[in-house]
Amino acid sequence: YVRAHWQPDGNGFWYKNNLPDNNTEYWWVNAVTASSQKAFDHIKLATALNALTDSPVTAAKLPVTNLRFDKDHRYAFLQVKNKWYKLDLKNYECTKSDSVSIMNDNSLVTGTIKSRRERQPSSDSLAPDKPWLAYLKDGNIFLQPINGGHAVH
């Protein structure tokens, strides 16, 4: 299943795609345009991180645990091995970042606490301001406006 990590503005999310042999890749989905792409160049990021960290990482097994993009999608803020890094997505210059403001996304319906059966299924994810629902169907990611309308994939 896909665990969508929504950005605070609700316009998109990233997710981790688990591949064979414990390899991973990270994807960005723009909910407004219903498009998706790799979140970053995995090889360039691994090269940049290896210049900053003591233990080497590979492009196929990047240990990213959290990720946020700036409003213009020019910078990515990545949490790797409990440390934060700021990545310039144009030139792949990467620097350590001491202060990153992150809104935790637990992908649960907020408000009155409901029973486990009444809660949103774990394979669905609601955007923070709730305009979009992302879900997986037949191996494809779909986005559907909450206020009605057709799902797109």
Side-chain angles (χ1 to χ4, degrees):
Y1 80 98
V2 171
R3 183 172 190 283
H5 299 271
W6 286 93
Q7 298 298 283
D9 64 6
N11 290 334
F13 63 88
W14 68 272
Y15 69 94
K16 178 179 171 180
N17 187 21
N18 294 312
L19 301 170
D21 300 323
N22 291 323
N23 291 334
T24 57
E25 59 185 11
Y26 298 85
W27 284 82
W28 166 253
V29 176
N30 183 325
V32 176
T33 63
S35 62
S36 65
Q37 66 185 43
K38 285 191 177 178
F40 40 76
D41 183 312
H42 291 64
I43 294 170
K44 289 180 180 179
L45 176 57
T47 301
L49 286 173
N50 283 328
L52 295 173
T53 60
D54 296 333
S55 55
V57 297
T58 65
K61 296 182 187 208
L62 288 168
V64 174
T65 54
N66 205 342
L67 173 62
R68 288 287 187 244
F69 294 95
D70 71 328
K71 180 182 168 192
D72 299 321
H73 212 84
R74 166 142 188 193
Y75 297 98
F77 297 87
L78 307 109
Q79 187 176 28
V80 177
K81 298 181 182 177
N82 296 318
K83 294 182 182 173
W84 283 96
Y85 298 91
K86 180 180 179 181
L87 177 68
D88 184 322
L89 293 167
K90 300 289 182 204
N91 63 20
Y92 280 80
E93 183 177 306
C94 192
T95 56
K96 288 185 181 178
S97 182
D98 293 328
S99 60
V100 175
S101 177
I102 295 296
M103 179 183 77
N104 287 332
D105 170 21
N106 61 10
S107 296
L108 296 177
V109 175
T110 59
T112 307
I113 296 175
K114 300 178 181 181
S115 74
R116 198 163 125 195
R117 287 190 175 92
E118 293 176 304
R119 278 185 267 163
Q120 163 186 346
S122 62
S123 63
D124 295 349
S125 180
L126 213 53
D129 57 355
K130 308 204 180 4
W132 298 97
L133 175 68
Y135 62 93
L136 187 65
K137 180 179 176 186
D138 299 325
N140 295 303
I141 298 174
F142 287 83
L143 295 170
Q144 183 169 6
I146 293 300
N147 61 359
H150 298 286
V152 293
H153 85 292

